[in-house]
Amino acid sequence: QVQLVESGGGLVQPGGSLRLSCAASISIRGYVMNWWRQLPGKQRELVASITSTGSTDYLDTVKGRFTISRDNVENKVYLQMNNLKPEDTAEYYCMFRGPGGINYWGKGTLVTVSS
């Protein structure tokens, strides 16, 4: 069974940093890996993606502040978040489209940016 487990969320002050981790139960080597977030009362939005070869893409509002990376040996994906803002407060989810075109999601990790 495919599982994604996120960790690293928490409470941080504006301007602070957090590093989210996502551990997969299968090899992620060939897959595009993604971080999504859902702000309170809003639809889920794609924050960052990384291809199997390391190409990345970001939501405009996080460019220059967030960095996605991956470890294909440990089957982990990371999201380094710097200069966090209150509007980054959200539940953050790891996701990939796996075999058969099925979307796999983790259960999320909550990030709260507040003074």
Side-chain angles (χ1 to χ4, degrees):
Q1 184 177 358
V2 177
Q3 287 188 317
L4 297 172
V5 180
E6 302 96 337
S7 60
L11 173 63
V12 63
Q13 292 186 339
S17 298
L18 283 174
R19 188 191 194 208
L20 306 184
S21 298
C22 169
S25 61
I26 64 168
S27 173
I28 64 169
R29 188 172 297 275
Y31 300 112
V32 176
M33 301 300 296
N34 309 280
W35 283 100
W36 291 70
R37 70 185 181 187
Q38 187 162 19
L39 281 66
K42 296 195 174 182
Q43 287 189 328
R44 205 169 283 190
E45 61 183 3
L46 180 60
V47 176
S49 299
I50 184 166
T51 68
S52 57
T53 56
S55 295
T56 58
D57 197 16
Y58 297 93
L59 183 68
D60 282 347
T61 54
V62 307
K63 284 181 181 177
R65 300 189 296 123
F66 290 12
T67 303
I68 189 171
S69 60
R70 64 191 293 157
D71 184 332
N72 289 336
V73 175
E74 296 290 329
N75 297 316
K76 290 185 176 179
V77 184
Y78 303 98
L79 186 67
Q80 178 66 44
M81 305 186 296
N82 298 327
N83 190 21
L84 282 160
K85 303 177 180 181
E87 52 265 41
D88 295 317
T89 294
E91 191 83 19
Y92 284 74
Y93 299 89
C94 183
M95 172 266 176
F96 77 102
R97 180 161 293 178
I102 299 172
N103 290 335
Y104 293 94
W105 295 87
K107 292 185 178 180
T109 185
L110 180 62
V111 172
T112 303
V113 185
S114 175
S115 54

